[in-house]
């Protein structure tokens, strides 16, 4: 029997925990947004519920059966890698094509009007083209699938952390995301396609591993064993890694990204599978791109952003940059996001803002190119894709145009590799400021877009600027300072550590840059953390997601399970009257935190009179029907129902005197969804859930507690 | 009150678990060695025992205090990296010098007698020099510190896994290890210095982080907070990573190695610190080596084995080799090790075997060089360090001598990079066979020596051989096949996965080799696992170490905590008579599994009448005095002692119906030392320890259970 609070007496043989069903009483006032934890986010359960059905199935399975499962997992990972690589390839080609057409049209127009003297027409053409692309993408995102906005990395972080973000791994999200990112990059916004690619990988993984699509209402009846949070999480890790791997040509970096963001428990085989998916993804991408570029089999330029090879003389770049600019980016974007949350929440407003940004981006770019008189001789090898002559002499081109009249990836590469003297310092300085402002404004728009490439571009610009200035004093290769600057800026914004180092090292293709890049990222993180959190964490916090960090706050040893738990707990008997179950579920579902799993069983077992199988749960996973959708007659209400098979007879428990860090460690390491708190006689006195733990964090004055809100 | 078995009644308020004190009754027969689990290995406790003393200290500490601790951790990691790099540098220089003198002497002697015709004198000189070096190293290892034998990687694996291997991280072990490895490599054995370097890094970490050396009886009174298993493990991970990083110039590979072998719970900050230690280590090594080589600041050749740069055309090497040869190596070595365990356990026999192997190695090498008539023209650039002319024409040298008359690192490099046509296939074939036999025989000798380099060398030789044969049919670059062969052989022997891929990629300095190397390692592992486990695992098993793998055997859902636990449990009351404590501890210490911690407290609290501090535990850590060393008078026996402060009031518990995989997951993920099994009324019914879990493994016919033995 279960207990309500401490009232009931004991029959511990029958202690059950089918699902968490708690009625809470919390303060209702809604203070400042980021001081809240939203109750609308459910938790995923990364601990297998070892109920009778599950155990029976596991026990029936032979050793060979487990081996087959293992092989299936490998096959799925291969598929995930393949499909992710394919999607990345598709995005890349589409963006290249569209942007190519756009720049060609504008270039021809500019060339035409440079002589005639009606360049404002070119400006309008450019702005209209940009806005049109962006409008398409923004419309799709704002009206069809708002979750596809942004880079998707914060959402994947949350998913891997164990937070259920609705609709984040659906097929529809994937389609909108891919369409959106093509539009926004082709539309010339200050965005990259890397974040969305990571998100795409995750969606692919979630879809493939479940062997069905709920968006398409198509069930292939395969991979049914993997239809639970634990297995799905592992595959989503692999998908995210494959996405990183495709985006940066960094398979190891991809694995480390997944681990850094998600894994709580490292498992050799799992990691190896994730790495496999990453490798397949890079390979697929390279293979198809090499075919597309007409050089099949030439696989030596992996990844979409390939920084090009750096040679190995690094002894002169030991200057450590700071993360101040990165922090500044985050702070401005933070205020902007708060402004957006307050005032721009209607979809049409959002689309209009996105179009405005696109037009402004075109205008700023145009103005910069127009007013800069920085002419450079056209190289022999003609590496510029779209050299703009404008008012330069014949055989020369406008160097500001290399930075603005190009996709950001190419601009980064030219900042890294163009020989010293290509850029004039004033040009670079103005470019940095302008692009910084545009990128800050752009991130958070209702378009699907990543922040990696703009960050790299800003960093590369001021790094190169610094290198040029330094070269007036001592000899210095500005391209290397551009690399270091890019690392510092990106590190200052996203605050990733090991994985980012490896990604950058893999993208440069030179292992010896590891040490300076690491030092730079470390400084950027330390300096940046002093001011504000990383950009992704800022956005996660602004959405009031109950995100669990690595450890409990160090000064939280004062708190015990008794203080953090939710109580009283609503309990069912092992055999319970249907009426009571329906009542409790209906009641708490208006509140929160109710899984209708048990109700599903109830319904089908009542109606069809057959024994419920694990299969029934799997078919319903992950969207169980709400209690209100099931009609229960008065007759049925009087029946008794046996919950024994569905309860987990051996949940993890802690005594109520356990300190918060200890509770936290158990909860986080095992990826639990709820942890039962018991008293000395093993009676249930409360439940600890994700929100109870995520509430506590270290603020300026020590330990702070967030409020919980319904929104 | 604690319970003996299920006899006693309940007062759960006072349930305590100061330490595990179990009397077991197990079968005494000793079957075949590897079917045993030894009881002599204690477990480390990677879960902080949250007793009253600990909690009081944590609660006293301010937020600033925790921040200072964090900074200290970084400083220590920096120190670990620095010292590890320094030691690696020292080993490298010493080996180069000694081997250089030896080869010069032998070369001059050979040149002298080639004309005179008394080459047997050269052979004897070579054999005697080799044996002398090896004798020194072997004497030190066999008589002073037997734990310093071998590569040290199995021991570090065990330590990170949570097994307490006595004396493995002592200063004395480090000294003998370093001395031993210099002697064995200089003595021309088929060994590498990489494994010992990893071990050295771990010892450095264990020493530095504790702020004292028990070997030197010197306590610096610093870093006292870190004197417990949890913190020490983290630092030892960093040390091992620094060792890998120094050995291979692979900082990321080092981190992955530590994680793959040790970490159960991934923590971003911890990983970042480990990476820092790795980076510092590589950097230190390169810095000092560059000074030694007279080119200070030239840091572009990281690591001790630098494979040299490979260019990027990999599309032609997609041939997947097998792990069969690796498995063969392990099988032969397995039988050899069993033979050694049975018959060669006296130190002088061990020294003699080592000397014999050294002499045989010299003889075989000499015979190979002598009988091969494979002359090659001396190149312009003269890359050979010790070109042997022997019977070749002037301006030519004996190509077999490049393989044998050289340190193995150099041989590997020449196999990778020498242009096609350098080696004759027959030479290579004979070399492969001879070196294979020597390497198998050598691993497991009582010398300190690693298996990485010999494996790479064997693999490179047959890989190149394969490449040469293939080039008769299609064009192929034999150097690349050498690389792939080396990866396959090493992977087949050690069965590491992600970390090995990254190490090899970092050592080649070319990211694009990742995919073929991964495929090769994957195949090598799958094929190899079919025959036998990895070499390190074989040796761990032969030592009957209770090693916990990643997961419980998949078919073990049948077993529950009730069946695997040890019972009955001996318990103490919260306030207990001293006499009883002494009796119980004395009695069980003749058995096993007794920590004398509690006794230490008892003794000092009785004698000095002062309150015990956490400091007392820390001063005694990790070697607590045995119960027999403390005299307790009859008077004292009658006193009562309050154990409240030392017990952990909130241990992790599981109900007795919990399935084995669930118990295993909790135990492994949290790095526990013992897990309390309770019944429904929360009474202690048993304890699950490492040995209870390690007993079960998957054999040929499904789940097997190992026996426990006292040895």
């Amino acid at each position: 029997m279960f207990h309500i609070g401490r009232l009931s007496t004991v029959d511990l043989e029958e202690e059950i925990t089918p699902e968490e069903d708690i009625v809470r009483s919390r303060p209702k006032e809604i203070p400042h947004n980021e001081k809240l934890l939203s109750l609308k986010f459910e938790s995923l359960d990364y601990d297998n519920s070892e109920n009778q059905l599950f155990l029976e199935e596991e026990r029936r399975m032979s050793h060979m059966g487990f081996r087959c499962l293992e092989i299936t997992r490998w096959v799925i990972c291969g598929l995930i890698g393949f499909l992710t690589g394919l999607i990345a390839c598709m995005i890349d080609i589409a963006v290249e094509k569209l942007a190519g057409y756009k720049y060609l049209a504008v270039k021809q127009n500019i060339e035409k009007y440079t002589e005639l003297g009606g360049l404002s027409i070119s400006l309008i053409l450019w702005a209209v083209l940009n806005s049109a692309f962006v409008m398409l993408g923004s419309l799709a995102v704002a009206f069809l699938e708002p979750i596809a906005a942004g880079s998707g990395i914060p959402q994947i972080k949350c998913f891997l952390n164990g937070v259920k973000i609705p609709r984040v791994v659906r097929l529809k999200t994937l389609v909108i995301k891919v369409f959106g990112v093509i539009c926004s990059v082709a539309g010339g916004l200050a965005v990259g396609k890397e974040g969305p690619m990571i998100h795409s990988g995750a969606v692919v993984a979630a879809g493939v591993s479940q062997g069905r699509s709920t968006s398409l209402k198509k069930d292939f009846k395969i991979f049914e064993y993997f239809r639970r949070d634990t297995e799905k999480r592992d595959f989503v890790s692999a998908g995210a890694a494959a996405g990183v791997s495709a985006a940066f040509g960094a398979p190891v970096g991809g694995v480390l990204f997944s681990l850094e963001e998600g894994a709580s428990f490292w498992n050799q085989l799992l990691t190896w599978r994730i790495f496999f998916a990453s490798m397949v993804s890079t390979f697929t991408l390279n293979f198809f791109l090499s075919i597309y570029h007409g050089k099949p089999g030439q696989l030596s330029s992996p990844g979409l952003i390939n920084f090009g090879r750096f040679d190995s003389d690094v002894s002169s770049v030991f200057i450590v940059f700071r993360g101040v600019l990165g922090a500044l980016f985050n702070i401005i974007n933070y205020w902007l996001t708060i402004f957006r949350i307050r005032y721009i929440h209607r979809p049409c407003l959002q689309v209009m803002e996105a179009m405005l940004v696109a037009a402004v981006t075109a205008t700023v770019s145009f103005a910069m190119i127009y007013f800069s008189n920085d002419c450079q001789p056209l190289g022999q090898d003609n590496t510029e894709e779209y050299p703009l002559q404008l008012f330069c002499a014949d055989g020369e081109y406008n160097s500001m145009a290399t930075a603005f009249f190009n996709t950001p990836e190419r601009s980064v590469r030219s900042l890294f590799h163009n020989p010293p003297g290509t850029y004039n310092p004033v040009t670079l300085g103005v470019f940095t400021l302008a692009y910084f402002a545009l990128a800050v404004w752009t991130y958070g728009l209702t378009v699907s877009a990543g922040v990696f490439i703009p960050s790299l571009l800003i960093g590369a610009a001021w790094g190169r600027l610094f290198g040029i200035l330094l070269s007036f004093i001592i000899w210095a290769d500005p391209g290397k300072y551009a690399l270091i600057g890019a690392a510092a800026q990106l590190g200052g914004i996203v605050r990733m550590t090991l994985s980012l180092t490896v990604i950058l090292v893999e993208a440069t293709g030179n292992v010896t840059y590891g040490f300076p890049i690491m030092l730079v990222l470390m400084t950027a993180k330390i300096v940046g953390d002093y001011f504000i959190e990383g950009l992704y964490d800022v956005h996660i916090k602004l959405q009031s997601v109950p995100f669990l960090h690595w450890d409990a706050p160090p000064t939280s040893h004062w708190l015990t399970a008794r203080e953090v738990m939710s109580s009283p707990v609503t309990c069912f008997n092992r055999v319970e009257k249907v009426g009571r179950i329906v009542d409790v579920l209906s009641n708490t579902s208006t509140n929160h935190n109710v899984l209708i799993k048990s109700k599903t069983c109830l319904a089908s077992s009542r109606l069809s009179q057959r024994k419920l199988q694990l299969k029934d749960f799997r078919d319903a996973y992950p969207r169980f029907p709400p209690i209100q959708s099931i009609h229960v007659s008065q007759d049925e209400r009087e029946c008794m129902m046996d919950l024994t098979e569905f309860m987990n007879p051996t949940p993890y428990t802690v005594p109520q005197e356990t300190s918060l860090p200890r509770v936290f460690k158990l909860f986080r390491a095992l990826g639990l969804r709820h942890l039962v708190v018991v008293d000395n006689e093993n009676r249930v006195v409360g439940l600890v859930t994700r929100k109870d733990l995520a509430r506590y964090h270290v603020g300026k004055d020590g330990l702070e507690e967030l409020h919980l809100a319904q929104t």
Side-chain angles (χ1 to χ4, degrees), chain A:
Chain A
M1 207 189 101
F2 242 70
H3 324 260
I4 300 187
R6 292 156 187 246
L7 297 175
S8 58
T9 47
V10 215
D11 179 1
L12 287 163
E13 279 298 318
E14 302 206 343
E15 183 179 272
I16 59 166
T17 31
E19 283 307 328
E20 96 201 41
D21 307 306
I22 314 164
V23 188
R24 287 158 193 256
S25 56
R26 295 281 182 207
K28 289 283 181 196
E29 86 276 31
I30 297 182
H32 190 276
N33 199 299
E34 71 189 302
K35 298 284 177 204
L36 281 180
L37 270 193
S38 170
L39 291 179
K40 79 177 171 191
F41 294 106
E42 288 298 313
S43 197
L44 296 164
D45 196 349
Y46 291 153
D47 177 49
N48 288 327
S49 169
E50 286 212 338
N51 57 31
Q52 216 169 299
L53 290 175
F54 175 83
L55 278 177
E56 272 166 20
E57 192 192 67
E58 295 283 312
R59 286 171 185 167
R60 260 198 313 273
M61 218 183 300
S62 68
H63 191 245
M64 193 47 76
F66 282 106
R67 190 158 288 182
C68 288
L69 274 182
E70 188 59 27
I71 293 171
T72 317
R73 288 197 188 99
W74 280 93
V75 172
I76 295 177
C77 279
L79 261 177
I80 291 171
F82 178 75
L83 290 176
T84 306
L86 216 59
I87 290 175
C89 180
M90 206 185 76
I91 294 179
D92 190 54
I93 292 175
V95 166
E96 284 284 313
K97 283 274 177 216
L98 289 178
Y101 291 138
K102 187 188 79 176
Y103 285 122
L104 264 186
V106 176
K107 184 172 143 69
Q108 282 162 2
N109 193 286
I110 288 179
E111 275 163 4
K112 183 170 149 207
Y113 286 104
T114 309
E115 289 156 36
L116 294 176
L119 274 179
S120 48
I121 295 175
S122 308
L123 167 61
I124 290 168
L125 173 70
W126 192 357
V128 166
L129 278 177
N130 270 7
S131 299
F133 276 124
V134 171
M135 187 184 72
L136 284 179
S138 186
L139 277 175
V141 171
F143 287 97
L144 297 178
E145 193 55 279
I147 198 83
S151 76
I153 294 182
Q155 285 88 334
I156 299 303
K157 263 183 94 149
C158 290
F159 184 94
L160 294 178
N161 191 263
V163 185
K164 191 172 200 161
I165 309 271
R167 305 190 315 283
V168 79
V169 287
R170 288 206 192 168
L171 181 64
K172 189 174 156 199
T173 310
L174 174 66
V175 173
I176 302 292
K177 191 110 205 171
V178 169
F179 177 74
V181 75
I182 292 174
C183 289
S184 29
V185 178
L189 287 180
V191 299
K193 54 190 185 297
E194 281 64 27
M197 242 168 230
I198 298 168
H199 190 171
S200 307
V203 181
V204 166
V208 170
S209 66
Q210 306 295 298
R212 69 168 164 202
S213 157
T214 28
S215 299
L216 297 182
K217 300 201 174 28
K218 176 93 191 138
D219 190 338
F220 295 97
K221 304 273 178 206
I222 46 172
F223 308 148
E224 289 176 328
Y225 186 84
F226 302 126
R227 293 182 187 171
R228 47 189 149 125
D229 289 343
T230 333
E231 299 279 351
K232 197 169 170 186
R233 187 240 333 233
D234 291 350
F235 289 113
V236 169
S237 302
V244 174
S245 169
F248 301 98
V252 180
V255 175
L256 290 176
F257 173 84
S258 276
L259 289 173
E260 201 169 312
E261 298 308 344
S264 54
F265 181 63
W266 167 286
N267 179 313
Q268 192 190 29
L269 258 183
L270 169 63
T271 318
W272 192 222
R273 269 203 308 273
I274 295 179
F275 187 52
F276 178 67
S278 295
M279 276 290 187
V280 171
S281 155
T282 308
F283 183 72
T284 310
L285 173 72
N286 284 337
F287 182 73
F288 284 104
L289 275 189
S290 72
I291 290 179
Y292 173 72
H293 291 302
K295 290 175 278 187
Q298 188 76 36
L299 305 178
S300 51
S301 66
L304 287 187
I305 62 165
N306 184 4
F307 290 169
R309 279 204 94 72
F310 277 86
D311 59 10
S312 294
D313 172 29
V314 285
S315 44
S316 60
V317 264
F318 274 93
I319 299 270
V320 177
F321 287 87
R322 302 284 169 80
V324 178
L325 271 179
L328 190 66
F329 187 101
N330 293 4
I331 292 171
I332 302 178
N333 191 267
Y334 165 73
W335 290 114
L336 204 60
T337 310
I338 289 186
F339 177 83
R340 281 191 182 125
I341 290 174
R342 293 224 178 112
Y343 302 108
I344 314 185
H345 36 65
R346 280 172 54 201
C348 37
L349 273 180
Q350 292 172 338
V351 173
M352 279 163 63
E353 195 200 1
M355 288 173 64
L356 176 67
V357 174
V360 169
T361 306
T363 313
V364 169
S365 310
F366 190 83
M368 302 286 275
I369 297 173
Y370 187 79
F371 290 112
S372 85
N373 289 312
D374 187 17
C375 296
Q376 298 283 344
L378 210 55
Q380 294 300 324
D381 44 354
N382 203 354
T383 49
E384 294 305 314
E385 193 109 4
Y386 316 106
L388 271 190
Q389 189 178 347
L390 269 178
F391 307 116
C392 292
D394 283 351
E396 290 194 334
Y397 71 101
N398 186 309
S399 85
M400 194 56 137
T402 32
F404 273 119
F405 204 67
N406 228 331
T407 56
E409 279 93 341
R410 285 175 194 276
S411 309
V412 172
R413 206 149 57 216
S414 48
L415 282 170
F416 284 168
H417 289 290
N418 280 6
T422 316
Y423 298 91
N424 142 350
V426 182
T427 316
L428 267 183
V430 176
F431 171 78
T432 309
L433 287 179
Y435 206 82
F436 186 90
L438 286 174
V440 174
W441 193 8
T442 308
Y443 190 79
L445 283 182
T446 314
V447 294
S448 125
V451 75
F452 265 69
I453 294 294
S455 312
L456 284 174
L457 186 50
I458 297 166
W462 66 256
R464 186 153 183 133
L465 181 63
F466 184 86
I468 293 175
L469 297 181
L470 200 70
S471 70
F472 292 142
I473 309 166
I474 57 163
W475 184 89
D477 178 351
K480 275 167 197 159
Y481 285 93
L483 175 64
I484 297 297
Q489 181 71 28
L490 184 54
I493 291 176
V494 301
R495 307 288 160 75
M496 285 152 60
T497 56
L498 182 61
S499 55
L500 187 57
T501 313
V502 175
I503 289 173
L504 289 176
V505 167
E506 287 187 285
T508 56
N510 190 327
V511 177
T512 43
Y513 281 87
F515 194 63
I517 289 179
M518 186 197 70
L519 284 183
V520 162
L521 289 180
M522 203 179 271
T523 328
K525 186 169 164 64
I526 292 169
V527 175
D529 280 349
Y530 182 79
F531 294 104
I532 193 171
E533 289 175 287
L535 187 62
Y536 299 139
D537 295 313
V538 167
H539 279 256
I540 288 173
K541 236 185 184 171
L542 283 174
Q543 308 233 320
S544 311
V545 177
F547 190 86
L548 289 185
H549 290 278
W550 298 102
D551 290 308
T555 49
S556 60
H557 278 279
W558 288 104
L559 292 166
T560 63
R562 196 205 317 268
E563 285 139 331
V564 302
M565 71 190 183
S566 307
S567 65
V569 178
T570 313
C571 305
F572 292 128
N573 289 316
R574 202 175 260 255
V575 178
E576 183 64 87
K577 206 184 267 182
V578 170
R580 179 164 139 67
I581 298 179
V582 174
D583 291 345
V584 167
L585 292 183
S586 311
N587 177 26
T588 54
S589 72
T590 60
N591 196 297
H592 79 292
N593 242 335
V594 173
L595 252 198
I596 319 295
K597 230 181 220 175
S598 357
K599 185 62 185 79
T600 318
C601 345
L602 157 72
S604 37
S605 73
R606 283 292 308 146
L607 302 177
S608 60
Q609 298 294 341
R610 69 180 174 88
K611 199 167 159 348
L612 261 179
Q613 303 288 318
L614 215 46
K615 193 173 168 311
D616 300 304
F617 288 92
R618 289 193 178 138
D619 286 346
Y621 178 85
R623 270 163 268 170
F624 304 105
I627 186 83
Q628 288 83 355
S629 71
I630 300 163
H631 178 72
V632 182
S633 69
Q634 198 57 41
D635 253 17
E636 285 168 343
R637 287 182 65 88
E638 290 305 311
C639 293
M640 297 302 277
M641 189 183 156
D642 187 357
L643 295 171
T644 314
E645 285 192 317
F646 317 119
M647 78 183 200
N648 179 357
T650 55
Y652 294 114
T653 59
V654 286
Q656 38 184 346
E657 297 82 22
T658 315
S659 71
L660 176 60
R662 204 175 170 79
V663 173
F664 194 99
K665 193 180 166 196
L666 181 66
F667 197 92
R668 180 78 166 85
L670 299 183
L672 302 185
R673 185 175 170 182
H674 21 63
L675 181 58
V676 181
V677 181
V678 294
D679 65 7
N680 282 312
E681 278 81 37
N682 217 21
R683 282 179 303 220
V684 177
V685 294
L687 268 184
V688 175
T689 62
R690 168 173 290 273
K691 283 131 202 169
D692 299 315
L693 296 175
R695 271 188 295 160
Y696 298 96
H697 77 129
V698 181
K700 293 283 172 203
D701 328 308
L703 206 62
E704 283 179 4
E705 194 182 335
L706 302 175
H707 295 280
L708 300 178
Q710 296 297 332
T711 53

